[in-house]
Amino acid sequence: MNGAESLVHSLLKSGVDVCFANPGTSEMHFVAALDRVPGMRCVLGLQENVVTGAADGYWRTAGKPAVTLLHCGPGLANGLAGLHDARRAHSGIVNCVGDQATYHRPLDAPLTADTEGFARGVSAWTRTSAKASEIGADVAVAVQAAKTSPGQVATLICPSDTCWDDGGVVAEALPVPATPQAEAHAIRNAAKVLREKKNVLILLGGPTALTEAAQLQAQRVIAHTGAHILAETSNAKIARGQGRMQLDRVPYPPDAAIARLKDYEQIILVGSKAPVGFFGYPNYPSLHYPPKAEITVLTRQEQDAVTALTALAEELGAPKVAMPDNGPKPELPRGAPSPEGLARVIAALMPEDSIIVDESVTYGRGLSPLTHCAPKHDWLQNRGGAIGYGFPVAVGAAIGGGGRRVIALQADGSGMYTVQALWTQAREKLPITTIVLSNRKYQILIGEYQNVGANPGPTAMQMLDLGNPDIDWVKLANGMGVGAATASTLEELADLVSQSLSQDAPFLIEFLI
Ligand SMILES: Cc1ncc(C[n+]2csc(CCOP(=O)(O)OP(=O)(O)O)c2C)c(N)n1
């Protein structure tokens, strides 16, 4: 058995059976091993951020890591934005990066690069395999690292001779450390704050605090104490819709965030970070909460928020409560495009258990309150702020979701970073309905200009405008095998969304907003 075969066998033993790939010469033995070792679903992405973003989306819905196959330092570097967003979302991913053969590396051939250096900035765990007999054991440790709470990026660099040499040894799966529990004093402290203090905010974030199970316990706590509750601005996955809390998020715009948080004297963090701005601005506070507010940590991101919130509810003597009814589905709206209309179309039409991949940027800021009444669904956001996460995450979310409908809300500027993912959606026949929010601008940056105290002149405006020429999304999608149509009214949007939901295939709607 060669090293590559032991690598694939070891991944399968550790429960990793989906590979998102963009290979090159140094990965040919891995690719060949995929033919000889059955059981790995292989999905080709035509740019590396498609590959890494898909692995991110896969973790978020499947709850287990996929492996990526990337080509040398430059291939990994192309995928770094996706890995940055994945790291911020606490997505577990195993990257296998092919590289120069060990004896060839000192010759400084063209693709030689600081592959480990590129990897370290986005990975919690990085290793370069030394020989074929060790690569199986190395990848088992990589999977263990990826699965360790709260979910981590692990990168194994595989020099090509470690793959083609004989002597591969298959490694068994390693035990994954249990999710750590909150300390007993953290639960007592939070209970004391909730009993004795006023103007208390509970802030939910991270992988476990936004699940349905955690929300049931959080609902007990707020019903009993009258504390307020919010989620962080961007979240990897929030369980939403009927049977879930009507959870608002800390607003993105700094003024709105500061106004929303100004009266809190106490903030209890449950898997979250005390809110800071995405950016600093001249003469503007970086902290979006009052600096005098006291911060109490119930759980850190890697800790089990469900058990901690249950213990907190018990400590407070909070009775069990039913989730509030989130109201009836809305009527389908008609007329000119509006964010409220978009929210109503989605809330009215999404099937139960849909996955919403949200890269709606400015247009989507108000969608949350109007979609609580939708059937139960998961809402995925970009936690890292590196745009272009939407199309690829939709690919991975659909594959990890095993047939669940994905509805991707995709701002046009962000979509152009990773538009190649549409081809993968078509090839894999994924049930993804994409609504491209076509405003033909970098709208958010026009607002950011004002935030930094500048006024865009004609040259600056050219850097923020996506017209001249207009991007033809229908042709782009068709060119990659995805059916598509344009909607310029809410009724056209609703018709196209309904049609697409009846097909087990991707469909793209260019919504002219
Ligand atoms: C990788 C990366 N490159 C550039 C940026 C800077 N950036 C932030 S938002 C944005 C434009 C977003 O435009 P669009 O997706 O069309 O959304 P809109 O603002 O129009 O709602 C840019 C270029 C970024 N955040 N990440």
Side-chain angles (χ1 to χ4, degrees):
M1 180 178 316
N2 68 19
E5 287 161 342
S6 73
L7 182 64
V8 178
H9 275 299
S10 303
L11 283 163
L12 290 168
K13 286 248 179 199
S14 289
V16 177
D17 55 10
V18 172
C19 175
F20 296 103
N22 187 268
T25 308
S26 42
E27 297 77 43
M28 280 306 127
H29 285 81
F30 188 120
V31 174
L34 293 170
D35 263 338
R36 289 196 294 274
V37 184
M40 185 71 77
R41 177 171 179 183
C42 301
V43 178
L44 179 61
L46 301 186
Q47 202 272 354
E48 287 83 350
N49 277 316
V50 175
V51 171
T52 55
D56 179 0
Y58 179 82
W59 166 270
R60 296 195 203 193
T61 55
K64 62 178 196 162
V67 60
T68 70
L69 183 60
L70 301 167
H71 180 53
C72 299
L76 170 61
N78 268 349
L80 286 183
L83 288 172
H84 163 83
D85 287 335
R87 181 179 79 87
R88 288 277 169 187
H90 303 297
S91 292
I93 294 177
V94 177
N95 297 310
C96 285
V97 186
D99 213 346
Q100 300 290 1
T102 49
Y103 59 85
H104 198 68
R105 165 165 276 279
L107 306 179
D108 198 28
L111 275 161
T112 309
D114 184 3
T115 313
E116 277 204 8
F118 293 152
R120 279 192 211 287
V122 290
S123 309
W125 182 99
T126 306
R127 183 179 291 178
T128 300
S129 245
K131 39 177 139 63
S133 59
E134 292 174 6
I135 198 166
D138 288 338
V139 88
V141 185
V143 177
Q144 183 188 43
K147 289 181 176 173
T148 298
S149 183
Q152 313 191 103
V153 176
T155 303
L156 181 65
I157 296 157
C158 311
S160 39
D161 48 339
T162 65
C163 286
W164 72 53
D165 279 352
D166 280 337
V169 179
V170 179
E172 295 297 323
L174 294 172
V176 180
T179 302
Q181 297 298 329
E183 294 82 12
H185 70 82
I187 290 156
R188 285 196 301 273
N189 283 349
K192 192 163 152 46
V193 169
L194 285 160
R195 267 195 224 103
E196 296 175 7
K197 307 282 175 146
K198 54 186 179 31
N199 297 324
V200 183
L201 172 70
I202 299 173
L203 185 64
L204 304 183
T208 52
L210 298 162
T211 57
E212 181 177 312
Q215 291 181 33
L216 275 167
Q217 302 306 324
Q219 186 72 26
R220 284 172 73 185
V221 172
I222 59 165
H224 188 66
T225 60
H228 290 181
I229 194 157
L230 286 173
E232 290 185 307
T233 307
S234 303
N235 300 281
K237 181 162 86 174
I238 310 189
R240 303 183 75 250
Q242 291 296 348
R244 278 84 184 261
M245 291 180 108
Q246 298 198 10
L247 200 53
D248 280 344
R249 305 191 310 254
V250 175
Y252 171 85
D255 283 326
I258 291 167
R260 183 73 194 251
L261 300 174
K262 72 179 180 1
D263 293 328
Y264 293 116
E265 295 169 41
Q266 302 286 334
I267 303 180
I268 298 177
L269 302 178
V270 189
S272 57
K273 253 174 68 128
V276 299
F278 252 62
F279 301 102
Y281 298 98
N283 309 317
Y284 227 82
S286 283
L287 301 185
H288 282 178
Y289 59 96
K292 282 197 194 136
E294 281 181 356
I295 306 292
T296 303
V297 178
L298 177 69
T299 55
R300 297 186 301 273
Q301 286 159 344
E302 71 278 15
Q303 292 176 321
D304 172 359
V306 181
T307 308
L309 285 164
T310 310
L312 179 62
E314 296 295 321
E315 174 86 14
L316 291 163
K320 297 214 164 64
V321 289
M323 282 294 195
D325 182 351
N326 288 348
K329 277 191 193 175
E331 296 289 313
L332 278 177
R334 305 180 63 80
S338 66
E340 298 73 27
L342 170 65
R344 292 204 170 87
V345 169
I346 308 167
L349 296 179
M350 75 165 80
E352 183 154 300
D353 275 331
S354 291
I355 301 159
I356 310 296
V357 175
D358 177 1
E359 192 166 46
S360 54
V361 192
T362 53
Y363 203 72
R365 284 189 188 148
L367 301 181
S368 178
L370 294 165
T371 47
H372 291 309
C373 60
K376 71 184 171 81
H377 61 275
D378 288 325
W379 196 286
L380 280 45
Q381 290 177 282
N382 182 346
R383 279 206 26 108
I387 59 175
Y389 110 113
F391 282 127
V393 165
V395 166
I399 292 175
R404 293 169 66 189
R405 171 61 53 172
V406 174
I407 300 177
L409 306 175
Q410 182 61 66
D412 53 357
S414 301
M416 285 303 289
Y417 285 67
T418 47
V419 66
Q420 305 91 325
L422 287 171
W423 179 87
T424 307
Q425 294 184 8
R427 177 184 252 204
E428 300 293 321
K429 300 187 179 56
L430 300 175
I432 302 172
T433 303
T434 302
I435 302 173
V436 171
L437 305 166
S438 180
N439 60 5
R440 299 179 178 155
K441 323 185 197 7
Y442 285 164
Q443 179 63 42
I444 191 172
L445 299 186
I446 297 172
E448 293 291 330
Y449 241 82
Q450 281 146 14
N451 286 341
V452 296
N455 208 357
T459 308
M461 268 315 285
Q462 274 197 31
M463 300 299 107
L464 309 176
D465 170 36
L466 303 185
N468 186 27
D470 289 344
I471 295 161
D472 188 330
W473 282 96
V474 173
K475 281 192 182 147
L476 274 180
N478 288 167
M480 286 181 271
V482 173
T486 300
S488 52
T489 63
L490 290 168
E491 47 273 43
E492 283 169 7
L493 177 70
D495 279 352
L496 290 170
V497 170
S498 317
Q499 278 174 36
S500 78
L501 294 177
S502 63
Q503 296 162 20
D504 268 339
F507 191 77
L508 181 144
I509 302 161
E510 181 183 19
F511 189 34
L512 298 169
I513 57 175

